[in-house]
Short mmCIF file of all heavy atoms in Angstrom, two decimals:
data_model
loop_
_atom_site.label_atom_id
_atom_site.label_comp_id
_atom_site.label_asym_id
_atom_site.label_seq_id
_atom_site.Cartn_x
_atom_site.Cartn_y
_atom_site.Cartn_z
N MET N 996 -3.16 -13.31 24.96
CA MET N 996 -3.39 -11.92 24.66
C MET N 996 -3.88 -11.78 23.23
O MET N 996 -3.89 -12.69 22.44
CB MET N 996 -2.13 -11.05 24.85
CG MET N 996 -0.96 -11.43 23.99
SD MET N 996 0.52 -10.55 24.50
CE MET N 996 0.07 -8.84 24.09
N ARG N 997 -4.33 -10.57 22.81
CA ARG N 997 -4.96 -10.40 21.55
C ARG N 997 -4.18 -9.39 20.68
O ARG N 997 -3.75 -8.35 21.20
CB ARG N 997 -6.42 -9.88 21.77
CG ARG N 997 -7.23 -9.86 20.47
CD ARG N 997 -8.56 -9.27 20.73
NE ARG N 997 -9.39 -10.17 21.55
CZ ARG N 997 -10.19 -11.14 20.98
NH1 ARG N 997 -10.30 -11.24 19.73
NH2 ARG N 997 -10.88 -11.90 21.80
N CYS N 998 -3.94 -9.74 19.45
CA CYS N 998 -3.23 -8.91 18.54
C CYS N 998 -3.97 -7.65 18.19
O CYS N 998 -5.14 -7.76 17.79
CB CYS N 998 -2.86 -9.67 17.27
SG CYS N 998 -2.04 -8.64 16.06
N PRO N 999 -3.44 -6.45 18.38
CA PRO N 999 -4.12 -5.19 18.04
C PRO N 999 -4.35 -5.02 16.58
O PRO N 999 -5.13 -4.17 16.18
CB PRO N 999 -3.22 -4.13 18.63
CG PRO N 999 -1.86 -4.71 18.66
CD PRO N 999 -2.07 -6.19 18.87
N ILE N 1000 -3.65 -5.76 15.75
CA ILE N 1000 -3.82 -5.58 14.29
C ILE N 1000 -4.82 -6.53 13.74
O ILE N 1000 -5.75 -6.07 13.07
CB ILE N 1000 -2.46 -5.85 13.62
CG1 ILE N 1000 -1.40 -4.80 14.07
CG2 ILE N 1000 -2.60 -5.81 12.04
CD1 ILE N 1000 -1.83 -3.39 13.77
N CYS N 1001 -4.72 -7.80 13.95
CA CYS N 1001 -5.64 -8.75 13.28
C CYS N 1001 -6.65 -9.31 14.32
O CYS N 1001 -7.45 -10.17 13.99
CB CYS N 1001 -4.87 -9.88 12.64
SG CYS N 1001 -3.95 -10.92 13.74
N GLN N 1002 -6.55 -8.92 15.55
CA GLN N 1002 -7.46 -9.34 16.64
C GLN N 1002 -7.41 -10.79 16.91
O GLN N 1002 -8.23 -11.37 17.55
CB GLN N 1002 -8.90 -8.97 16.23
CG GLN N 1002 -9.11 -7.51 15.73
CD GLN N 1002 -8.68 -6.54 16.83
OE1 GLN N 1002 -8.89 -6.70 17.98
NE2 GLN N 1002 -7.99 -5.48 16.43
N LEU N 1003 -6.29 -11.42 16.44
CA LEU N 1003 -6.11 -12.86 16.70
C LEU N 1003 -5.61 -13.00 18.15
O LEU N 1003 -4.73 -12.33 18.59
CB LEU N 1003 -5.12 -13.43 15.71
CG LEU N 1003 -4.86 -14.91 15.86
CD1 LEU N 1003 -6.05 -15.69 15.23
CD2 LEU N 1003 -3.52 -15.29 15.18
N GLU N 1004 -6.23 -14.05 18.80
CA GLU N 1004 -5.72 -14.37 20.18
C GLU N 1004 -4.55 -15.29 20.02
O GLU N 1004 -4.57 -16.22 19.23
CB GLU N 1004 -6.81 -15.00 20.96
CG GLU N 1004 -7.90 -14.02 21.39
CD GLU N 1004 -8.69 -14.55 22.62
OE1 GLU N 1004 -8.09 -14.95 23.59
OE2 GLU N 1004 -9.94 -14.51 22.49
N PHE N 1005 -3.45 -14.95 20.83
CA PHE N 1005 -2.28 -15.76 20.76
C PHE N 1005 -1.56 -15.77 22.10
O PHE N 1005 -1.84 -14.95 22.93
CB PHE N 1005 -1.36 -15.20 19.65
CG PHE N 1005 -0.80 -13.84 19.98
CD1 PHE N 1005 0.49 -13.71 20.51
CD2 PHE N 1005 -1.56 -12.72 19.70
CE1 PHE N 1005 0.97 -12.46 20.82
CE2 PHE N 1005 -1.08 -11.46 20.04
CZ PHE N 1005 0.18 -11.31 20.56
N LEU N 1006 -0.66 -16.69 22.21
CA LEU N 1006 0.13 -16.77 23.47
C LEU N 1006 1.28 -15.79 23.36
O LEU N 1006 2.07 -15.83 22.39
CB LEU N 1006 0.64 -18.18 23.69
CG LEU N 1006 -0.48 -19.18 23.92
CD1 LEU N 1006 0.11 -20.58 24.04
CD2 LEU N 1006 -1.27 -18.86 25.22
N SER N 1007 1.48 -14.96 24.33
CA SER N 1007 2.55 -13.99 24.29
C SER N 1007 3.88 -14.66 24.22
O SER N 1007 4.84 -14.11 23.69
CB SER N 1007 2.45 -13.09 25.49
OG SER N 1007 2.56 -13.80 26.71
N SER N 1008 3.96 -15.85 24.75
CA SER N 1008 5.25 -16.58 24.77
C SER N 1008 5.60 -17.15 23.40
O SER N 1008 6.71 -17.56 23.15
CB SER N 1008 5.23 -17.68 25.83
OG SER N 1008 4.19 -18.60 25.53
N SER N 1009 4.57 -17.16 22.47
CA SER N 1009 4.79 -17.79 21.21
C SER N 1009 5.07 -16.79 20.10
O SER N 1009 5.30 -17.12 18.97
CB SER N 1009 3.60 -18.67 20.80
OG SER N 1009 2.49 -17.81 20.59
N SER N 1010 4.98 -15.50 20.47
CA SER N 1010 5.15 -14.49 19.44
C SER N 1010 6.56 -13.87 19.44
O SER N 1010 7.10 -13.53 20.54
CB SER N 1010 4.13 -13.36 19.63
OG SER N 1010 4.37 -12.31 18.76
N PRO N 1011 7.14 -13.72 18.27
CA PRO N 1011 8.51 -13.07 18.21
C PRO N 1011 8.37 -11.58 18.02
O PRO N 1011 9.38 -10.89 17.94
CB PRO N 1011 9.02 -13.69 16.90
CG PRO N 1011 7.85 -13.89 16.05
CD PRO N 1011 6.71 -14.23 16.98
N ALA N 1012 7.16 -11.03 18.01
CA ALA N 1012 6.97 -9.59 17.70
C ALA N 1012 5.94 -8.95 18.62
O ALA N 1012 5.03 -8.32 18.14
CB ALA N 1012 6.56 -9.48 16.22
N LEU N 1013 6.10 -9.14 19.93
CA LEU N 1013 5.06 -8.55 20.84
C LEU N 1013 5.10 -7.02 20.69
O LEU N 1013 6.07 -6.43 20.38
CB LEU N 1013 5.52 -8.91 22.29
CG LEU N 1013 5.39 -10.38 22.66
CD1 LEU N 1013 5.99 -10.65 24.05
CD2 LEU N 1013 3.95 -10.82 22.55
N PRO N 1014 3.90 -6.40 20.85
CA PRO N 1014 2.64 -7.04 21.34
C PRO N 1014 1.81 -7.53 20.21
O PRO N 1014 0.61 -7.74 20.31
CB PRO N 1014 1.96 -5.86 22.02
CG PRO N 1014 2.39 -4.67 21.16
CD PRO N 1014 3.78 -4.97 20.69
N PHE N 1015 2.40 -7.79 19.04
CA PHE N 1015 1.66 -8.35 17.93
C PHE N 1015 1.87 -9.84 17.83
O PHE N 1015 2.80 -10.40 18.38
CB PHE N 1015 2.16 -7.67 16.65
CG PHE N 1015 2.16 -6.17 16.76
CD1 PHE N 1015 3.37 -5.46 16.87
CD2 PHE N 1015 1.00 -5.50 16.77
CE1 PHE N 1015 3.41 -4.11 17.02
CE2 PHE N 1015 0.99 -4.05 16.90
CZ PHE N 1015 2.16 -3.37 17.01
N CYS N 1016 0.98 -10.53 17.10
CA CYS N 1016 1.01 -12.01 17.02
C CYS N 1016 2.12 -12.41 16.13
O CYS N 1016 2.52 -13.55 16.20
CB CYS N 1016 -0.37 -12.49 16.53
SG CYS N 1016 -0.71 -12.12 14.80
N SER N 1017 2.58 -11.54 15.22
CA SER N 1017 3.60 -11.97 14.28
C SER N 1017 4.35 -10.77 13.76
O SER N 1017 3.92 -9.64 13.97
CB SER N 1017 2.96 -12.70 13.10
OG SER N 1017 2.17 -11.80 12.38
N ALA N 1018 5.50 -11.03 13.10
CA ALA N 1018 6.32 -9.93 12.56
C ALA N 1018 5.48 -9.23 11.49
O ALA N 1018 5.68 -8.02 11.25
CB ALA N 1018 7.59 -10.50 12.01
N ARG N 1019 4.62 -9.93 10.78
CA ARG N 1019 3.82 -9.32 9.73
C ARG N 1019 2.94 -8.25 10.32
O ARG N 1019 2.80 -7.16 9.78
CB ARG N 1019 3.04 -10.39 8.99
CG ARG N 1019 2.10 -9.85 7.98
CD ARG N 1019 1.46 -10.91 7.12
NE ARG N 1019 0.38 -10.41 6.30
CZ ARG N 1019 0.65 -9.70 5.16
NH1 ARG N 1019 1.87 -9.40 4.82
NH2 ARG N 1019 -0.40 -9.25 4.46
N CYS N 1020 2.25 -8.61 11.39
CA CYS N 1020 1.40 -7.61 11.99
C CYS N 1020 2.16 -6.40 12.58
O CYS N 1020 1.71 -5.27 12.49
CB CYS N 1020 0.54 -8.28 13.07
SG CYS N 1020 -0.90 -9.22 12.43
N ARG N 1021 3.31 -6.64 13.05
CA ARG N 1021 4.17 -5.58 13.55
C ARG N 1021 4.48 -4.63 12.35
O ARG N 1021 4.51 -3.40 12.50
CB ARG N 1021 5.50 -6.17 14.10
CG ARG N 1021 6.35 -5.06 14.73
CD ARG N 1021 7.57 -5.65 15.34
NE ARG N 1021 8.34 -6.39 14.38
CZ ARG N 1021 9.47 -7.11 14.73
NH1 ARG N 1021 9.83 -7.19 15.97
NH2 ARG N 1021 10.09 -7.75 13.78
N GLU N 1022 4.82 -5.21 11.18
CA GLU N 1022 5.15 -4.40 10.05
C GLU N 1022 3.94 -3.59 9.58
O GLU N 1022 4.03 -2.46 9.10
CB GLU N 1022 5.65 -5.27 8.89
CG GLU N 1022 7.03 -5.76 9.16
CD GLU N 1022 7.52 -6.69 8.08
OE1 GLU N 1022 6.91 -6.64 7.01
OE2 GLU N 1022 8.52 -7.37 8.24
N ILE N 1023 2.77 -4.21 9.65
CA ILE N 1023 1.53 -3.51 9.26
C ILE N 1023 1.31 -2.27 10.14
O ILE N 1023 1.00 -1.19 9.73
CB ILE N 1023 0.34 -4.44 9.35
CG1 ILE N 1023 0.37 -5.48 8.25
CG2 ILE N 1023 -1.01 -3.62 9.23
CD1 ILE N 1023 -0.66 -6.57 8.36
N ASP N 1024 1.55 -2.53 11.44
CA ASP N 1024 1.38 -1.41 12.42
C ASP N 1024 2.40 -0.31 12.18
O ASP N 1024 2.07 0.87 12.16
CB ASP N 1024 1.54 -1.92 13.84
CG ASP N 1024 1.35 -0.83 14.86
OD1 ASP N 1024 0.21 -0.44 15.05
OD2 ASP N 1024 2.34 -0.35 15.43
N LEU N 1025 3.63 -0.70 11.86
CA LEU N 1025 4.68 0.23 11.55
C LEU N 1025 4.37 1.02 10.30
O LEU N 1025 4.55 2.21 10.22
CB LEU N 1025 6.04 -0.48 11.34
CG LEU N 1025 7.23 0.44 11.08
CD1 LEU N 1025 7.49 1.31 12.26
CD2 LEU N 1025 8.41 -0.42 10.75
N GLY N 1026 3.81 0.31 9.30
CA GLY N 1026 3.47 1.03 8.06
C GLY N 1026 2.34 2.05 8.25
O GLY N 1026 2.41 3.12 7.71
N ARG N 1027 1.37 1.65 9.10
CA ARG N 1027 0.28 2.62 9.43
C ARG N 1027 0.84 3.87 10.12
O ARG N 1027 0.48 4.95 9.79
CB ARG N 1027 -0.75 1.90 10.31
CG ARG N 1027 -1.61 0.93 9.59
CD ARG N 1027 -2.58 0.32 10.55
NE ARG N 1027 -3.44 -0.66 9.94
CZ ARG N 1027 -4.29 -1.44 10.60
NH1 ARG N 1027 -4.45 -1.25 11.90
NH2 ARG N 1027 -5.00 -2.31 9.93
N TRP N 1028 1.76 3.58 11.09
CA TRP N 1028 2.33 4.67 11.82
C TRP N 1028 3.10 5.64 10.90
O TRP N 1028 2.98 6.84 10.96
CB TRP N 1028 3.26 4.09 12.89
CG TRP N 1028 3.73 5.15 13.85
CD1 TRP N 1028 3.08 5.62 14.95
CD2 TRP N 1028 4.98 5.77 13.79
NE1 TRP N 1028 3.90 6.57 15.59
CE2 TRP N 1028 5.05 6.68 14.92
CE3 TRP N 1028 6.10 5.75 12.92
CZ2 TRP N 1028 6.17 7.49 15.13
CZ3 TRP N 1028 7.18 6.54 13.12
CH2 TRP N 1028 7.22 7.42 14.24
N LEU N 1029 3.91 5.03 10.04
CA LEU N 1029 4.72 5.89 9.15
C LEU N 1029 3.81 6.61 8.15
O LEU N 1029 4.03 7.77 7.79
CB LEU N 1029 5.71 5.01 8.38
CG LEU N 1029 6.86 4.40 9.19
CD1 LEU N 1029 7.67 3.49 8.33
CD2 LEU N 1029 7.71 5.52 9.75
N GLY N 1030 2.77 5.93 7.74
CA GLY N 1030 1.87 6.57 6.78
C GLY N 1030 1.10 7.72 7.36
O GLY N 1030 0.97 8.76 6.73
N GLU N 1031 0.73 7.58 8.68
CA GLU N 1031 0.09 8.73 9.34
C GLU N 1031 1.07 9.89 9.57
O GLU N 1031 0.70 11.02 9.49
CB GLU N 1031 -0.49 8.24 10.67
CG GLU N 1031 -1.72 7.36 10.51
CD GLU N 1031 -2.22 6.89 11.80
OE1 GLU N 1031 -1.71 7.37 12.88
OE2 GLU N 1031 -3.08 5.98 11.85
N ARG N 1032 2.28 9.53 9.85
CA ARG N 1032 3.24 10.58 10.19
C ARG N 1032 3.75 11.34 8.99
O ARG N 1032 3.91 12.53 8.99
CB ARG N 1032 4.46 9.92 10.92
CG ARG N 1032 5.42 10.92 11.42
CD ARG N 1032 6.53 10.24 12.25
NE ARG N 1032 7.51 11.17 12.72
CZ ARG N 1032 7.42 11.84 13.85
NH1 ARG N 1032 6.36 11.71 14.63
NH2 ARG N 1032 8.39 12.68 14.24
N TYR N 1033 3.99 10.60 7.94
CA TYR N 1033 4.61 11.27 6.77
C TYR N 1033 3.68 11.29 5.54
O TYR N 1033 3.91 12.06 4.64
CB TYR N 1033 5.88 10.51 6.30
CG TYR N 1033 6.93 10.48 7.38
CD1 TYR N 1033 7.25 9.31 8.03
CD2 TYR N 1033 7.61 11.65 7.77
CE1 TYR N 1033 8.19 9.22 9.05
CE2 TYR N 1033 8.58 11.59 8.76
CZ TYR N 1033 8.84 10.39 9.39
OH TYR N 1033 9.81 10.38 10.39
N GLY N 1034 2.59 10.50 5.54
CA GLY N 1034 1.72 10.45 4.46
C GLY N 1034 2.30 9.89 3.18
O GLY N 1034 1.82 10.11 2.10
N LEU N 1035 3.38 9.14 3.36
CA LEU N 1035 4.10 8.58 2.20
C LEU N 1035 3.25 7.52 1.51
O LEU N 1035 3.29 7.42 0.29
CB LEU N 1035 5.41 8.00 2.64
CG LEU N 1035 6.45 9.00 3.13
CD1 LEU N 1035 7.71 8.26 3.57
CD2 LEU N 1035 6.79 9.96 2.04
N LEU N 1036 2.54 6.74 2.23
CA LEU N 1036 1.83 5.60 1.69
C LEU N 1036 0.64 6.03 0.84
O LEU N 1036 0.15 5.34 -0.01
CB LEU N 1036 1.39 4.70 2.80
CG LEU N 1036 2.54 4.08 3.60
CD1 LEU N 1036 1.96 3.11 4.66
CD2 LEU N 1036 3.50 3.33 2.70
N THR N 1037 0.16 7.27 1.05
CA THR N 1037 -0.97 7.72 0.30
C THR N 1037 -0.57 8.68 -0.79
O THR N 1037 -1.40 9.07 -1.56
CB THR N 1037 -1.99 8.42 1.25
OG1 THR N 1037 -1.29 9.45 1.96
CG2 THR N 1037 -2.57 7.47 2.24
N MET N 1038 0.73 9.04 -0.82
CA MET N 1038 1.18 9.95 -1.89
C MET N 1038 1.33 9.21 -3.21
O MET N 1038 1.94 8.14 -3.23
CB MET N 1038 2.52 10.54 -1.52
CG MET N 1038 2.43 11.53 -0.32
SD MET N 1038 2.01 13.16 -0.92
CE MET N 1038 3.52 13.71 -1.68
N PRO N 1039 0.81 9.76 -4.28
CA PRO N 1039 1.03 9.13 -5.57
C PRO N 1039 2.48 9.24 -6.02
O PRO N 1039 3.15 10.28 -5.71
CB PRO N 1039 0.14 9.95 -6.54
CG PRO N 1039 -0.07 11.20 -5.85
CD PRO N 1039 0.00 10.99 -4.37
N ASP N 1040 2.96 8.26 -6.67
CA ASP N 1040 4.37 8.25 -7.11
C ASP N 1040 4.53 9.02 -8.43
O ASP N 1040 3.99 8.51 -9.44
CB ASP N 1040 4.89 6.81 -7.28
CG ASP N 1040 6.35 6.79 -7.54
OD1 ASP N 1040 7.00 7.84 -7.73
OD2 ASP N 1040 6.92 5.67 -7.63
N PRO N 1041 5.17 10.16 -8.43
CA PRO N 1041 5.28 10.93 -9.67
C PRO N 1041 6.00 10.21 -10.77
O PRO N 1041 5.78 10.42 -11.97
CB PRO N 1041 6.00 12.25 -9.27
CG PRO N 1041 6.72 11.82 -8.01
CD PRO N 1041 5.88 10.79 -7.36
N GLU N 1042 6.92 9.29 -10.40
CA GLU N 1042 7.69 8.58 -11.39
C GLU N 1042 6.80 7.56 -12.10
O GLU N 1042 7.11 7.17 -13.24
CB GLU N 1042 8.81 7.83 -10.67
CG GLU N 1042 9.76 8.82 -9.95
CD GLU N 1042 11.12 8.97 -10.71
OE1 GLU N 1042 11.13 8.72 -11.91
OE2 GLU N 1042 12.02 9.36 -10.03
N ALA N 1043 5.78 7.13 -11.40
CA ALA N 1043 4.91 6.07 -11.99
C ALA N 1043 3.82 6.63 -12.85
O ALA N 1043 3.11 5.95 -13.54
CB ALA N 1043 4.34 5.22 -10.86
N ASP N 1044 3.73 7.99 -12.88
CA ASP N 1044 2.67 8.60 -13.63
C ASP N 1044 3.10 8.86 -15.03
O ASP N 1044 3.68 9.80 -15.38
CB ASP N 1044 2.27 9.99 -12.92
CG ASP N 1044 1.04 10.57 -13.54
OD1 ASP N 1044 0.37 9.82 -14.32
OD2 ASP N 1044 0.73 11.71 -13.32
N GLU N 1045 2.80 7.85 -15.89
CA GLU N 1045 3.18 7.94 -17.27
C GLU N 1045 2.01 8.40 -18.19
O GLU N 1045 2.14 8.39 -19.37
CB GLU N 1045 3.66 6.56 -17.77
CG GLU N 1045 4.94 6.08 -17.08
CD GLU N 1045 6.14 6.89 -17.47
OE1 GLU N 1045 6.14 7.35 -18.66
OE2 GLU N 1045 7.11 7.02 -16.70
N GLU N 1046 0.91 8.76 -17.47
CA GLU N 1046 -0.23 9.21 -18.28
C GLU N 1046 -0.60 8.23 -19.43
O GLU N 1046 -0.51 8.58 -20.57
CB GLU N 1046 -0.04 10.62 -18.83
CG GLU N 1046 0.11 11.65 -17.74
CD GLU N 1046 0.05 13.03 -18.30
OE1 GLU N 1046 -0.55 13.26 -19.37
OE2 GLU N 1046 0.67 13.96 -17.72
N PRO N 1047 -1.04 7.04 -19.02
CA PRO N 1047 -1.37 6.03 -20.03
C PRO N 1047 -2.63 6.45 -20.85
O PRO N 1047 -2.87 5.94 -21.93
CB PRO N 1047 -1.66 4.79 -19.22
CG PRO N 1047 -1.99 5.30 -17.85
CD PRO N 1047 -1.17 6.53 -17.66
N GLU N 1048 -3.37 7.40 -20.28
CA GLU N 1048 -4.60 7.83 -20.99
C GLU N 1048 -4.26 8.51 -22.33
O GLU N 1048 -5.00 8.43 -23.27
CB GLU N 1048 -5.40 8.84 -20.14
CG GLU N 1048 -5.90 8.16 -18.84
CD GLU N 1048 -6.24 9.23 -17.78
OE1 GLU N 1048 -6.37 10.37 -18.19
OE2 GLU N 1048 -6.35 8.85 -16.60
N ASN N 1049 -3.09 9.13 -22.35
CA ASN N 1049 -2.64 9.78 -23.59
C ASN N 1049 -2.56 8.77 -24.77
O ASN N 1049 -2.86 9.10 -25.88
CB ASN N 1049 -1.28 10.41 -23.41
CG ASN N 1049 -1.35 11.95 -23.33
OD1 ASN N 1049 -2.48 12.46 -23.44
ND2 ASN N 1049 -0.23 12.63 -23.19
N ASP N 1050 -2.15 7.58 -24.40
CA ASP N 1050 -1.89 6.60 -25.44
C ASP N 1050 -3.19 6.26 -26.20
O ASP N 1050 -3.25 6.39 -27.41
CB ASP N 1050 -1.36 5.31 -24.81
CG ASP N 1050 -0.75 4.41 -25.87
OD1 ASP N 1050 -0.19 4.92 -26.78
OD2 ASP N 1050 -0.93 3.20 -25.71
N TRP N 1051 -4.24 5.94 -25.48
CA TRP N 1051 -5.48 5.53 -26.13
C TRP N 1051 -6.16 6.75 -26.70
O TRP N 1051 -6.86 6.68 -27.72
CB TRP N 1051 -6.39 4.71 -25.27
CG TRP N 1051 -6.92 5.48 -24.07
CD1 TRP N 1051 -6.52 5.34 -22.73
CD2 TRP N 1051 -8.01 6.37 -23.99
NE1 TRP N 1051 -7.25 6.08 -21.93
CE2 TRP N 1051 -8.17 6.74 -22.65
CE3 TRP N 1051 -8.89 6.87 -24.97
CZ2 TRP N 1051 -9.15 7.68 -22.28
CZ3 TRP N 1051 -9.88 7.79 -24.54
CH2 TRP N 1051 -9.98 8.19 -23.26
N ALA N 1052 -5.95 7.98 -26.07
CA ALA N 1052 -6.55 9.15 -26.56
C ALA N 1052 -6.05 9.48 -27.97
O ALA N 1052 -6.80 9.87 -28.87
CB ALA N 1052 -6.28 10.27 -25.60
N GLN N 1053 -4.75 9.30 -28.12
CA GLN N 1053 -4.17 9.60 -29.48
C GLN N 1053 -4.69 8.60 -30.49
O GLN N 1053 -4.98 8.97 -31.64
CB GLN N 1053 -2.62 9.53 -29.36
CG GLN N 1053 -2.06 10.74 -28.65
CD GLN N 1053 -0.53 10.64 -28.46
OE1 GLN N 1053 0.04 9.56 -28.73
NE2 GLN N 1053 0.08 11.73 -27.97
N LYS N 1054 -4.75 7.37 -30.11
CA LYS N 1054 -5.24 6.36 -31.03
C LYS N 1054 -6.69 6.66 -31.39
O LYS N 1054 -7.09 6.46 -32.55
CB LYS N 1054 -5.13 4.98 -30.43
CG LYS N 1054 -3.72 4.46 -30.37
CD LYS N 1054 -3.67 3.12 -29.62
CE LYS N 1054 -2.20 2.64 -29.62
NZ LYS N 1054 -2.09 1.46 -28.72
N GLU N 1055 -7.45 7.11 -30.38
CA GLU N 1055 -8.87 7.40 -30.59
C GLU N 1055 -9.03 8.57 -31.58
O GLU N 1055 -9.91 8.55 -32.40
CB GLU N 1055 -9.49 7.72 -29.23
CG GLU N 1055 -10.99 7.64 -29.28
CD GLU N 1055 -11.49 6.17 -29.28
OE1 GLU N 1055 -10.65 5.29 -28.99
OE2 GLU N 1055 -12.68 5.99 -29.56
N ASN N 1056 -8.18 9.53 -31.53
CA ASN N 1056 -8.25 10.80 -32.33
C ASN N 1056 -7.66 10.60 -33.70
O ASN N 1056 -8.01 11.32 -34.62
CB ASN N 1056 -7.62 11.92 -31.61
CG ASN N 1056 -8.39 12.38 -30.38
OD1 ASN N 1056 -9.56 12.18 -30.30
ND2 ASN N 1056 -7.72 12.97 -29.41
N SER N 1057 -6.77 9.66 -33.84
CA SER N 1057 -6.11 9.47 -35.16
C SER N 1057 -7.10 8.83 -36.14
O SER N 1057 -7.90 8.04 -35.71
CB SER N 1057 -4.88 8.63 -35.02
OG SER N 1057 -5.21 7.34 -34.56
N PRO N 1058 -7.08 9.21 -37.36
CA PRO N 1058 -8.03 8.64 -38.35
C PRO N 1058 -7.68 7.22 -38.59
O PRO N 1058 -6.52 6.84 -38.52
CB PRO N 1058 -7.78 9.49 -39.60
CG PRO N 1058 -6.39 10.07 -39.39
CD PRO N 1058 -6.22 10.27 -37.93
N PRO N 1059 -8.72 6.39 -38.88
CA PRO N 1059 -8.42 4.99 -39.13
C PRO N 1059 -7.56 4.78 -40.40
O PRO N 1059 -7.77 5.50 -41.38
CB PRO N 1059 -9.82 4.42 -39.27
CG PRO N 1059 -10.70 5.60 -39.65
CD PRO N 1059 -10.07 6.77 -38.95
N VAL N 1060 -6.68 3.90 -40.31
CA VAL N 1060 -5.85 3.62 -41.43
C VAL N 1060 -6.57 2.71 -42.43
O VAL N 1060 -6.98 1.65 -42.07
CB VAL N 1060 -4.51 3.02 -41.04
CG1 VAL N 1060 -3.63 2.71 -42.24
CG2 VAL N 1060 -3.81 3.90 -40.07
N SER N 1061 -6.69 3.17 -43.71
CA SER N 1061 -7.33 2.33 -44.63
C SER N 1061 -6.37 2.03 -45.78
O SER N 1061 -5.64 2.86 -46.27
CB SER N 1061 -8.56 3.11 -45.22
OG SER N 1061 -8.20 4.25 -45.81
N ASP N 1062 -6.40 0.81 -46.23
CA ASP N 1062 -5.54 0.41 -47.33
C ASP N 1062 -6.18 0.76 -48.66
O ASP N 1062 -7.04 0.09 -49.11
CB ASP N 1062 -5.22 -1.10 -47.25
CG ASP N 1062 -4.39 -1.38 -46.02
OD1 ASP N 1062 -3.57 -0.55 -45.66
OD2 ASP N 1062 -4.58 -2.44 -45.43
ZN1 ZN I 156 -1.83 -10.20 14.25
#
């Protein structure tokens, strides 16, 4: 049979994660399903938004230090 995720042909008797070829493909499918249902995978993480642009912007605007 053929894996719906990676399109790899495999023996159904050799797979631990039918109808997928492997547990990895099963997780990929599960992730897609959850992502479509909740949109979690496409949501930006607010905790990770530290606005790194501010850092270089401040340095850019500050006058150069001269000795
Ligand atoms: Zn697969």
